[in-house]
Amino acid sequence: MTGFESLSIAVLIWIALVLAFAGVVQGALGLGFPMVATPLIAAVSDMRTAVILVLIPCIAATVINVILAGRFLPTLKKFWFMPLCMVAGAFIGARLFVAFPAFPYAMLLAGVILAYLYLDRIGHAEWAPVRQHPVAYGVFFGFIAGLSEGTANIAAPMLLMYLFSLGVDRTTFVQILNLCFSVGKPTQLVVLTTEGGVTWLQWAMTLPFAAIVAVTTIAGINIRSRIDAAAYRRWLLNVLFVIAIALLIQHAYGA
């Protein structure tokens, strides 16, 4: 990505629409921004360009979710270790992405998601040991989520698997997700800047998209307040399925 001058007006309009929609999804569900935006933008550009365009707008959506969801400090006190694990995983994942950009990270993640959805369908997706040892499993899933973030630009599936088993309330659910997202993306930004050849000018070019996303994320948060708990979980499972299919399509398109 040498700059927006390399992208056509039609592609830029598509990117703006995709990011705006992803902001609504992030606000309504507390997650989903990179999962929606990355494959749809990669379909009209390439994976590297998609990662660059999505990253700062995603940080904006995440920060807004953390600020507006409420009850941040109690969640931070109980789950402070998960962002640290995300940092470690995202750092290693971003380095892997830079070193081996052609590896089918998306296809691997899609396989994991589909396996989890199958377990959920047969009633084996909520694991009792997670509730018995929340810290140990939180460290594991936090690290794997960071690794997924750095390679496939998507961390939420691994976090959802952990949080569904943990059985936390929706507000805590959203806060944990966005607490983890808030450190994973900046870590990815630093690595891509220092080792991936992305310049600060290129990051600055994505700021107008971040402004659009800020507005649509707030609109999405207003939608979330009207969703009951059962529907919220069902929506998240449906999102996981859509993500898996999108990742498979993305892999096939790239191949």
Side-chain angles (χ1 to χ4, degrees):
M1 176 180 171
T2 58
F4 286 161
E5 69 275 6
S6 64
L7 303 174
S8 69
I9 296 297
V11 169
L12 289 175
I13 292 173
W14 170 256
I15 291 170
L17 291 174
V18 166
L19 292 175
F21 175 67
V24 174
V25 172
Q26 180 78 15
L29 300 180
L31 59 89
F33 189 92
M35 295 183 289
V36 171
T38 303
L40 291 176
I41 294 176
V44 297
S45 56
D46 58 78
M47 187 62 178
R48 177 181 171 80
T49 299
V51 169
I52 295 170
L53 288 170
V54 165
L55 203 149
I56 289 183
C58 184
I59 292 175
T62 300
V63 170
I64 290 172
N65 262 280
V66 169
I67 293 173
L68 298 184
R71 291 170 50 185
F72 173 68
L73 291 180
T75 302
L76 177 63
K77 183 177 180 180
K78 189 172 181 179
F79 296 97
W80 60 269
F81 56 89
M82 292 196 68
L84 299 180
C85 297
M86 280 281 296
V87 169
F91 180 78
I92 295 174
R95 291 176 67 91
L96 287 173
F97 178 76
V98 170
F100 308 102
F103 187 84
Y105 302 108
M107 188 174 183
L108 178 62
L109 180 58
V112 172
I113 294 172
L114 291 174
Y116 175 80
L117 291 175
Y118 173 74
L119 290 175
D120 181 77
R121 186 176 181 84
I122 64 176
H124 295 292
E126 296 186 5
W127 306 307
V130 173
R131 295 193 182 192
Q132 297 168 0
H133 308 283
V135 175
Y137 280 94
V139 169
F140 172 76
F141 279 99
F143 177 80
I144 298 300
L147 196 66
S148 176
E149 174 99 344
T151 53
N153 206 37
I154 297 175
M158 301 303 169
L159 297 175
L160 288 180
M161 295 175 194
Y162 172 71
L163 294 173
F164 280 146
S165 292
L166 201 59
V168 297
D169 64 87
R170 183 166 55 182
T171 298
T172 303
F173 194 105
V174 172
Q175 285 288 21
I176 295 173
L177 285 174
N178 287 275
L179 179 62
C180 291
F181 297 156
S182 66
V183 296
K185 284 300 180 186
T187 302
Q188 189 181 11
L189 185 149
V190 170
V191 174
L192 290 176
T193 302
T194 58
E195 300 186 29
V198 184
T199 68
W200 288 110
L201 177 59
Q202 289 174 331
W203 292 126
M205 289 178 177
T206 67
L207 292 178
F209 292 129
I212 295 172
V213 167
V215 174
T216 59
T217 299
I218 293 173
I221 291 173
N222 291 331
I223 294 173
R224 186 173 69 216
S225 64
R226 303 184 181 95
I227 306 173
D228 62 69
Y232 180 69
R233 187 182 191 280
R234 186 168 61 253
W235 282 24
L236 291 179
L237 292 173
N238 289 335
V239 167
L240 282 179
F241 179 73
V242 171
I243 291 165
I245 298 303
L247 288 170
L248 291 174
I249 294 173
Q250 173 189 324
H251 175 76
Y253 177 84

